[in-house]
Amino acid sequence: MRSKQGSSWRYMLQLISVVAFVMLLASLSYPPGRENWLLQWASRLDPWLLLSQLRWQQAVPAWVWLPLLTVTATLLWGRVFCGWLCPLGAMLMWTDKIGKAAFKNMSPVRVQILRTVQPIRYYWLLVLLIVFALGSNWVIFLTPFALFSHELARVLQGYMPWLLIGIMAGTLLFSRLWCSVLCPTGVLLSLAARLRLFGYRIAGNCVYCEQCASACSVGAASVDTAVAQAGCLACGDCHRVCPAKAISWQHRWPSGKDSRLVPADGGAAAKRQGSRRQFLKAAGAVALAAAFWEKTVGAAEPVLRPPGSLPAPDFTAVCNRCGRCIQVCPGKALQPMPITDGLTNFATPYIIPRQSRCDLCLSCQEVCPTGAIVQVPLDKVRMGRAILDKSRCIAWEENKLCFICGEQCPVLAITGDEYHRPTILLDKCAGCGSCENACPVAGEAAIRVLPQ
């Protein structure tokens, strides 16, 4: 396939990926339908989601073939998932092109900065793996589908997508630093791509103009190795700009090597020095992982979670903060927890019953991609427990005719005596917050719902 045709196909796939993802998320509403099914399948292409399922459920899910499809494609052709299908990657590709046009004079500096920080990506992967293994799900939050969902959901709710803006600003200045070094999925697939069968190779007629290096947005083109490095997105930009037509797509393991393009042996002393540096960097990565884990897996203040949520702290360890449960909630009862409540709880869904009640539609259970909100029948839902303060209840304290809490309870967990004074049936209470939300007492309600 010609380079121009390949670029056209790639641009078209990336455009479809971005537009489809945005439209599907924007149309996610009650009751969830086909759009939810497509979003779930797209999210499950990410191998990190499979790792999360294996860590939490310790069982192989039925959709295991989806992430394995991504890994297989990577082992064959490199990071085609990142370069051709990822919606966030597509957005950053266009952002990078804008950056190249806007900062044309800084192009060599952008490439140099990217190449300078690239060696740390596998140490960053070590940090992510350690934090993930210790129980934090922040790694999954940083994966492209979860992160893009979270930021788009913020936009749809009227908030600024600060994280996405920051990543795009970083791309403008430092090329595709996020895709190449920081994205958990990108770095994981870069590791797998080291074993890929096919890739771009540089032939002996290379004229060392380094136009390929300038065109590569992830710093993967290198005349020193004669083979595109593991971070290559298989975009073909290097092939397209090469004036000598010395770059071609072929098997990565040819029988012979071009001696002009193979770097000279640096000697045993240099190797020993490199080993010491690697050891120190690995030790630093372990220390950073320990510090990051401590901040993201701490004890959190109990709050009212969506119906079917795993008990704390398992919920925060499995939730990827994608925001789809918040997006689909018809009564807008679910809200993302702010950063002021700590990194452990940040962006996880919760309910403030005095502000809004859960309608028990259970749609959040259907759209959760990680299993943090489990599908349970309505009669098994136990979000919290209602507590009645008779000293504040106007029916009990002032003998007023008020039974609003009982009238609003969707599961008939509140009964009234001959004077309509309420009594809670705890074995029936689902903890949805309808009673607290409807209580007419000013200020703190006479009946409150506390987390389980």
Side-chain angles (χ1 to χ4, degrees):
M1 181 182 296
R2 293 179 181 177
S3 176
K4 190 173 181 179
Q5 289 178 319
S7 295
S8 299
W9 277 105
R10 181 168 63 90
Y11 291 149
M12 187 171 65
L13 281 176
Q14 288 180 312
L15 182 63
I16 292 173
S17 173
V18 173
V19 173
F21 196 83
V22 172
M23 291 183 66
L24 288 172
L25 194 68
S27 61
L28 188 63
S29 59
Y30 173 81
R34 188 174 299 175
E35 73 282 355
N36 175 51
W37 180 79
L38 292 172
L39 284 170
Q40 295 275 15
W41 276 56
S43 301
R44 288 166 178 171
L45 286 169
D46 195 318
W48 277 106
L49 197 60
L50 173 62
L51 294 176
S52 178
Q53 290 283 318
L54 294 176
R55 185 191 64 173
W56 164 244
Q57 296 187 339
Q58 299 175 354
V60 179
W63 45 265
V64 64
W65 61 276
L66 281 167
L68 289 183
L69 193 64
T70 302
V71 174
T72 303
T74 305
L75 292 174
L76 286 174
W77 306 299
R79 294 174 58 192
V80 289
F81 170 80
C82 304
W84 290 62
L85 297 176
C86 176
L88 181 58
M91 280 201 63
L92 297 184
M93 184 273 291
W94 292 322
T95 305
D96 178 54
K97 288 192 178 298
I98 295 173
K100 280 182 180 177
F103 306 107
K104 192 173 295 184
N105 295 333
M106 292 178 58
S107 183
V109 178
R110 296 172 80 232
V111 173
Q112 186 57 43
I113 292 174
L114 181 60
R115 287 189 168 185
T116 301
V117 300
Q118 249 181 356
I120 70 169
R121 62 179 169 186
Y122 293 125
Y123 297 103
W124 173 240
L125 179 61
L126 178 62
V127 171
L128 296 176
L129 288 171
I130 293 174
V131 171
F132 177 77
L134 291 176
S136 171
N137 227 35
W138 261 80
V139 180
I140 309 300
F141 170 59
L142 297 177
T143 57
F145 286 115
L147 182 61
F148 204 30
S149 292
H150 175 266
E151 295 299 285
L152 287 177
R154 282 184 60 83
V155 173
L156 294 170
Q157 293 155 22
Y159 298 105
M160 288 293 288
W162 291 115
L163 189 52
L164 182 60
I165 291 174
I167 293 173
M168 294 178 73
T171 305
L172 284 174
L173 296 175
F174 306 117
S175 195
R176 298 181 70 176
L177 178 67
W178 178 267
C179 299
S180 180
V181 178
L182 299 176
C183 173
T185 304
V187 181
L188 184 66
L189 294 182
S190 290
L191 185 64
R194 293 171 69 93
L195 302 174
R196 69 193 187 280
L197 291 180
F198 299 94
Y200 283 104
R201 290 188 61 86
I202 305 175
N205 59 331
C206 172
V207 295
Y208 298 94
C209 64
E210 296 195 349
Q211 290 192 33
C212 55
S214 298
C216 182
S217 61
V218 292
S222 172
V223 295
D224 295 333
T225 58
V227 180
Q229 297 180 2
C232 174
L233 300 176
C235 66
D237 285 348
C238 55
H239 172 66
R240 182 174 51 79
V241 301
C242 180
K245 303 302 178 188
I247 300 176
S248 60
W249 179 266
Q250 56 183 284
H251 202 285
R252 282 190 63 240
W253 311 103
S255 56
K257 293 182 178 178
D258 190 317
S259 58
R260 290 196 306 147
L261 299 173
V262 178
D265 187 358
K271 290 181 179 178
R272 284 196 298 272
Q273 188 176 9
S275 299
R276 284 196 294 271
R277 288 177 181 172
Q278 289 174 356
F279 174 78
L280 291 174
K281 288 178 180 177
V286 172
L288 179 61
F292 191 52
W293 168 77
E294 188 178 10
K295 293 290 184 183
T296 56
V297 189
E301 189 73 19
V303 294
L304 206 62
R305 296 293 190 184
S309 295
L310 297 173
D314 294 337
F315 180 79
T316 53
V318 178
C319 174
N320 68 351
R321 291 117 170 125
C322 66
R324 294 179 194 173
C325 55
I326 298 171
Q327 171 67 15
V328 80
C329 182
K332 303 303 176 188
L334 293 178
Q335 303 178 29
M337 295 194 72
I339 190 69
T340 50
D341 285 300
L343 290 177
T344 303
N345 276 329
F346 171 62
T348 56
Y350 78 126
I351 298 171
I352 304 176
R354 196 60 171 148
Q355 296 180 5
S356 186
R357 68 180 195 181
C358 174
D359 291 328
L360 295 176
C361 68
L362 308 185
S363 295
C364 50
Q365 298 178 1
E366 296 183 46
V367 302
C368 179
T370 64
I373 307 175
V374 182
Q375 295 195 20
V376 296
L378 180 58
D379 60 339
K380 301 294 183 185
V381 169
R382 294 293 182 269
M383 302 164 59
R385 63 185 188 283
I387 303 296
L388 177 64
D389 184 353
K390 293 182 179 178
S391 65
R392 293 182 57 79
C393 177
I394 58 176
W396 282 93
E397 188 66 19
E398 302 176 20
N399 295 323
K400 290 185 176 179
L401 186 60
C402 177
F403 190 62
I404 295 177
C405 55
E407 294 170 347
Q408 293 295 318
C409 180
V411 293
L412 306 179
I414 300 177
T415 61
D417 59 12
E418 65 272 25
Y419 303 106
H420 296 287
R421 294 178 300 190
T423 299
I424 301 169
L425 305 176
L426 289 178
D427 58 331
K428 287 187 175 181
C429 178
C432 64
S434 297
C435 51
E436 182 176 343
N437 180 257
C439 181
V441 174
E444 184 178 287
I447 185 168
R448 298 181 60 205
V449 179
L450 305 179
Q452 285 284 14

